[in-house]
Amino acid sequence: MNQRITRNSSSVTGLAADPAPVLRFSVPLSATRRGARLARLLATEQLRSWGLPFDPARLIVAELAANAVLHGRVPGRSFRLVLAVTRPGTLRFEVTDTRGDRLPVRTPGVGGPLAESGRGLLLVGELADCWGVEEGPVPCKTVWAEIDLGGGC
């Protein structure tokens, strides 16, 4: 899997640097377990309405949303889910939370084989063709992942 970490929002890999998305869906959700579950359900329905496959997309959204709720939660603040077809054949997922001070870290084998958590981004890395994180605007960060639907990542 091709994995990249982008550390600023002016990166050429970011959605802002790409041409306008062909399809785009964006929704704010509460930073709760219910909000994370709703992110997965809404993503599945949106992809279905676009006629796009929803596996492994719903698993990626579930992990990114769960991380936003678990590690990016600020009481009283929501997180944002964005789905976009950014160029022909590329499906992009973005989850933005308000904990820009807590960036994801790539640490294989965190917690050992019996750990109950710490594998979410490893799963995202296996399912997505590429993923990364963009800082800003303060106090936010966006964790994104892309799936190649036939056009290259």
Side-chain angles (χ1 to χ4, degrees), residues 4 8 23 28 34-35 37 39 52 63 66 74 78 87 90 92 94 105 107 111 119 125 130 133 140 145:
R4 299 182 293 234
N8 61 46
L23 299 170
R34 184 176 182 185
R37 189 180 87 218
L52 296 175
E63 290 301 331
V74 173
S78 60
R87 40 187 186 270
T90 300
R92 183 176 173 103
E94 296 182 353
V105 179
T107 51
R119 294 189 184 90
C130 51
V133 60
C140 299

Side-chain angles (χ1 to χ4, degrees), residues 45-71:
E45 287 307 310
Q46 188 61 51
L47 293 169
R48 186 184 325 263
S49 76
W50 287 344
L52 296 175
F54 44 85
D55 279 326
R58 63 180 164 184
L59 296 173
I60 293 169
V61 168
E63 290 301 331
L64 295 180
N67 282 348
V69 168
L70 190 62
H71 305 293

Side-chain angles (χ1 to χ4, degrees), residues 9 15 39 45 57 78 91 103 121 134:
S9 59
L15 185 58
E45 287 307 310
S78 60
L91 176 61
L103 297 176
L121 289 177
E134 296 176 355

Side-chain angles (χ1 to χ4, degrees), residues 2 4-5 19 72 74 78-79 90 99 114 129 132 141:
N2 179 18
R4 299 182 293 234
I5 289 188
V74 173
S78 60
F79 71 93
T90 300
R99 288 296 305 266
L114 299 178
D129 292 302
K141 73 171 174 301

Side-chain angles (χ1 to χ4, degrees), residues 27-45:
V27 63
L29 297 161
S30 65
T32 62
R33 288 174 27 170
R34 184 176 182 185
R37 189 180 87 218
L38 187 56
R40 180 180 49 82
L41 295 172
L42 289 172
T44 301
E45 287 307 310

Side-chain angles (χ1 to χ4, degrees), residues 6-7 68 71-74 77-78 95-104 133-143:
T6 305
R7 293 285 182 191
H71 305 293
R73 184 175 186 273
V74 173
R77 302 272 177 102
S78 60
V95 173
T96 302
D97 64 52
T98 54
R99 288 296 305 266
D101 59 324
R102 297 188 70 185
L103 297 176
V133 60
E134 296 176 355
E135 295 179 58
V138 173
C140 299
K141 73 171 174 301
T142 299
V143 181

